[in-house]
Amino acid sequence: MPDQLRCYSPVDGNQYVQRSYCSDEELSASLELAKEAQRKWQAVPLAERLKLLQGVLTYFNEHRDLIAEQISWQMGRPSRYADGEINGLLERGRYMLSIAEQSLADIQPPSPPDTEHYIELTPVGLVLTVAPWNYPLLTTVNSVIPALAAGNAVILKPSAQTPLTGEHFQRACAQAGLPGGLLQCVHLRHEQTNKLLSEAKVDFACFTGSVAAGAEFEKSAAGQFIGLGLELGGKDPAYVREDLNAEQLKEAAEALADGAFFNSGQSCCGIERIYVANSQFEAFCEHFAAEVKSLKLGVPTLSETTLGPVVKTSAANWVRKQINEAVAQGAKAWISSNDYPLDDGEGVYLAPQVLTNVNHNMSVMSEESFGPVVGIMPVDSDQQAIELMNDSDYGLTASIWTRDVAAAKLIGKQIETGTVFLNRCDYLDPALAWTGVKQTGRGISLSTLGYAQLTQAKSFHLRLG
């Protein structure tokens, strides 16, 4: 069993980070330290906690250039975009702090005579956050900032692919003056993480990752009555209606291409399948393919690169397999990999691909790709589009493109998904609940509701006189 965590950069294949895994003894000590820090932190007035947490966000703003560069090397996102994740972290963190007082205030229903009663929202205690590599800052801030604001301690396990991001959270808390041990970044093996759940060493756990890993997470926590927040896979659809004019159709194609191929398609809420009204299909595909062909596949540290490598060779080969199988079954490929010299058919640099003549019997339209490929199908009606969008094991977001707001709302009510977008995609509004249905997971982050799963309701029924 390896005693060292090794992060190999997809940029050049070389080792970029090496860390020692936390020993079982060190982990036990970290848990004790976190619990002691949490007891003290819970007693700190909320206003003071929020002021200190603003300092945590300040750290990321002050160190954005270094952090952005490290993200590019760790997971391959083009450096021209890496700074954007820090902006997103700041937006979400500031919003969650701004609503903390109202979200954590006592709930006071009308009291009967001679009675005082209210519900106090107390911290759950120790929160475990297991973060992924694709958006290591954004996924982490969703749980860490509200957990700390609510009075909890946090054990943060970053992905082995992006270990430095977790270490930055720990430094940020130290620089801001939070109690030592309140947030600790720990590099754990899978079996250690599972043991935290199976032995109820934590009180709540937030996990972002694959469906298979999420199922393992649930099994480890079975019978321990630990609260879980699971954000898992996605196969997010978009529907382009027939009422768009020519300019709007072109704008939809450009926006959806960005939503599908940003971060090399490695986003749980990225667009992976598109349904277009028959009358708009041909024109949309032409616009969409032209936009995708304008992407520049290259080394992510170069300023002109707009499409970087996928994170690992196995991930690239999975997408290649989906594309090859679809083409063998009759799909039309709009883009030639020969136009992308870095794509040698074997490595992490993978040409983007747009497929038509596809159907739901093909893996590329039914299984999560998590890479730079999208399938496009024509539809005859809203009802057919709804049926196809719902024909999935996943349900994170769906995107509708139309001038008819009333129609979009009606369609949105019938789509099995956690978020419905109109004329946009691939964005998290921190004021709204981030959640999914079906195999996309369970639980809620962001918004006022995001605080609910990180607190425990405690009722007071006081008979007076």
Side-chain angles (χ1 to χ4, degrees):
M1 184 180 298
D3 61 351
Q4 296 289 308
L5 177 156
R6 301 178 192 274
C7 163
Y8 293 92
S9 173
V11 177
D12 58 9
N14 293 326
Q15 181 175 298
Y16 185 69
V17 182
Q18 180 176 334
R19 292 289 187 271
S20 296
Y21 281 113
C22 186
S23 69
D24 292 342
E25 294 75 19
E26 289 169 333
L27 180 56
S28 294
S30 291
L31 295 173
E32 289 303 314
L33 181 61
K35 292 176 180 178
E36 180 60 29
Q38 190 275 323
R39 285 189 284 269
K40 296 176 181 177
W41 179 244
Q42 182 178 357
V44 175
L46 177 58
E48 186 176 340
R49 295 204 301 262
L50 298 180
K51 184 177 180 181
L52 290 170
L53 289 170
Q54 290 286 357
V56 174
L57 301 179
T58 297
Y59 170 94
F60 285 94
N61 194 40
E62 292 175 344
H63 296 82
R64 62 169 57 232
D65 291 342
L66 171 63
I67 297 171
E69 177 186 2
Q70 291 176 343
I71 288 175
S72 289
W73 279 98
Q74 288 173 96
M75 55 76 61
R77 184 183 305 135
S79 57
R80 64 188 293 164
Y81 302 129
D83 189 62
E85 186 170 0
I86 297 170
N87 293 335
L89 175 149
L90 296 174
E91 177 189 23
R92 297 182 193 182
R94 288 166 179 163
Y95 182 81
M96 293 306 290
L97 293 181
S98 75
I99 64 169
E101 289 191 7
Q102 69 183 68
S103 301
L104 298 170
D106 292 350
I107 300 170
Q108 295 183 308
S111 296
D114 301 322
T115 300
E116 180 182 358
H117 66 181
Y118 56 93
I119 303 169
E120 183 178 88
L121 299 179
T122 64
V124 293
L126 181 55
V127 174
L128 169 67
T129 291
V130 180
W133 52 265
N134 61 323
Y135 286 100
L137 300 180
L138 290 180
T139 50
T140 301
V141 74
N142 288 356
S143 61
V144 164
I145 290 296
L148 294 173
N152 299 292
V154 175
I155 295 293
L156 171 58
K157 179 197 175 299
S159 166
Q161 190 65 42
T162 51
L164 300 183
T165 55
E167 294 175 8
H168 280 296
F169 272 95
Q170 183 166 316
R171 290 193 197 101
C173 290
Q175 177 178 294
L178 274 65
L182 187 67
L183 181 143
Q184 297 173 65
C185 170
V186 293
H187 301 299
L188 302 178
R189 300 183 183 89
H190 291 307
E191 59 269 21
Q192 291 175 304
T193 305
N194 292 340
K195 193 173 182 179
L196 290 178
L197 303 173
S198 64
E199 297 184 0
K201 299 294 186 180
V202 297
D203 303 297
F204 192 91
C206 302
F207 172 82
T208 304
S210 69
V211 173
E216 183 181 351
F217 214 70
E218 273 199 319
K219 290 177 182 177
S220 296
Q224 298 301 320
F225 308 107
I226 297 170
L228 298 179
L230 304 173
E231 184 191 333
L232 309 177
K235 192 70 181 174
D236 290 10
Y239 171 37
V240 179
R241 297 183 80 235
E242 64 182 358
D243 64 339
L244 298 184
N245 61 37
E247 182 179 353
Q248 291 166 336
L249 187 69
K250 187 174 185 294
E251 291 174 352
E254 292 171 351
L256 286 170
D258 180 69
F261 291 93
F262 186 81
N263 209 38
S264 298
Q266 298 169 127
S267 174
C268 55
C269 60
I271 298 298
E272 294 208 1
R273 50 199 175 105
I274 303 174
Y275 307 98
V276 183
N278 253 317
S279 60
Q280 301 276 31
F281 185 75
E282 184 177 346
F284 176 86
C285 290
E286 293 287 350
H287 289 313
F288 189 87
E291 186 67 21
V292 174
K293 288 177 182 177
S294 72
L295 296 173
K296 297 188 182 302
L297 177 66
V299 176
T301 53
L302 300 178
S303 60
E304 64 268 22
T305 297
T306 56
L307 187 70
V310 296
V311 68
K312 290 183 179 179
T313 302
S314 58
N317 286 340
W318 164 247
V319 178
R320 289 188 178 104
K321 180 174 183 287
Q322 286 189 309
I323 294 170
N324 292 337
E325 287 181 351
V327 171
Q329 295 172 45
K332 174 185 174 181
W334 285 68
I335 296 173
S336 171
S337 60
N338 294 331
D339 296 332
Y340 299 84
L342 280 180
D343 184 351
D344 60 4
E346 297 179 352
V348 294
Y349 286 90
L350 180 61
Q353 187 55 270
V354 179
L355 299 172
T356 54
N357 294 344
V358 291
N359 59 62
H360 280 214
N361 292 323
M362 297 176 179
S363 169
V364 76
M365 294 299 287
S366 59
E367 297 184 79
E368 187 173 30
S369 301
F370 223 64
V373 61
V374 67
I376 310 176
M377 289 178 62
V379 292
D380 296 324
S381 64
D382 288 347
Q383 191 56 43
Q384 185 185 16
I386 292 167
E387 291 173 359
L388 288 169
M389 285 190 283
N390 287 341
D391 183 26
S392 174
D393 293 332
Y394 305 105
L396 187 54
T397 79
S399 175
I400 305 167
W401 297 77
T402 179
R403 291 184 290 175
D404 190 334
V405 176
K409 290 181 179 179
L410 182 61
I411 293 168
K413 287 180 179 294
Q414 300 173 72
I415 300 173
E416 298 164 353
T417 188
T419 295
V420 175
F421 292 111
L422 171 62
N423 298 334
R424 76 175 310 169
C425 61
D426 194 26
Y427 171 73
L428 274 70
D429 180 347
L432 299 179
W434 189 243
T435 186
V437 300
K438 297 188 277 191
Q439 290 192 18
T440 288
R442 57 186 290 188
I444 295 172
S445 62
L446 301 177
S447 78
T448 297
L449 298 178
Y451 276 103
Q453 68 179 15
L454 299 167
T455 55
Q456 172 65 48
K458 186 173 186 178
S459 295
F460 286 79
H461 189 121
L462 310 177
R463 182 179 179 185
L464 308 177

